[in-house]
Each structure stands twice: as structure tokens, then as C-alpha cells.
Amino acid sequence: RGPVGDIVACPGGEEFALAVIAEAEAVAAAAGYPVPGGEHAMSVNLLTEPSSVFTSSLYRDVAAGLPHEGEHILGRFAARADAHGVPVPLTRLALLQLRAQDRRDR
């Protein structure tokens, strides 16, 4: 619920970002698309930069109260993880909070 720099400034924020990357890469690898080292490094740099103001379009839409692609991105990703037997608890947590907010906003 904020830009990358704010997240990594919090205790556990960088560790959280790295765990999310690991989750995503585990699903990609299980699906037959391992993430190359260079792309992994780019993700780590993007999502752990202390001064970053980067936010996702999903975050910006949710923050603005607009329709969002949470089910299309996180819901389908969680389903793909299930199909490959890869646990994705952080993705599920993000999806759950989006679903709870959507329910509240109805």
C-alpha cells in the first residue's frame, strides 16, 4: 500500500520484497520458465530501491477506487501456482486483501 521506497524503509520490507520475488520465480520455474539471473537482478533492484517512488498500476487503480486487474493478475497467478503445486502465501494474502476491499466497496 505504498511506493517501493516506503515499503523497504519499514522493518522487514526488503525481506518481504525478496520473498515475493522468490514466490513468483518459483511459480515461473515450475511452469517451465525459469527467470534468468539478469532479470532476477533487475527485479531485485526495482523492488528494493530505498528511494524508489515506483508503484504498480494495480496499486494506483485500487488507491484511486477504480476497477482493477487483481483477479486477472493475482487470482490467475495463484491458480497457476496451485496447478504446479507451488505455495504462494504472500500472493494469496495480497489477493485476499483486494477481495476484502472489493467486498467492502460494493
Side-chain angles (χ1 to χ4, degrees):
R1 293 297 181 131
V4 165
D6 289 348
I7 294 167
V8 299
C10 294
E14 183 172 343
E15 293 81 2
F16 173 80
L18 294 173
V20 169
I21 292 167
E23 234 180 58
E25 289 181 354
V27 175
Y33 302 97
V35 175
E39 281 75 7
H40 168 79
M42 286 178 16
S43 294
V44 168
N45 289 337
L46 176 68
L47 297 175
T48 62
E49 175 59 45
S51 61
S52 177
V53 296
F54 174 79
T55 61
S56 68
S57 63
L58 174 59
Y59 167 76
R60 292 188 298 273
D61 289 344
V62 169
L66 298 172
H68 60 79
E69 66 273 48
E71 289 295 333
H72 295 95
I73 296 172
L74 299 177
R76 288 190 53 121
F77 187 80
R80 178 67 53 100
D82 287 346
H84 292 287
V86 179
V88 289
L90 299 174
T91 300
R92 290 192 179 289
L93 179 61
L95 182 57
L96 176 62
Q97 74 85 27
L98 283 174
R99 287 174 173 167
Q101 179 163 337
D102 288 346
R103 183 175 171 86
R104 206 173 41 246
D105 291 346
R106 280 192 221 158

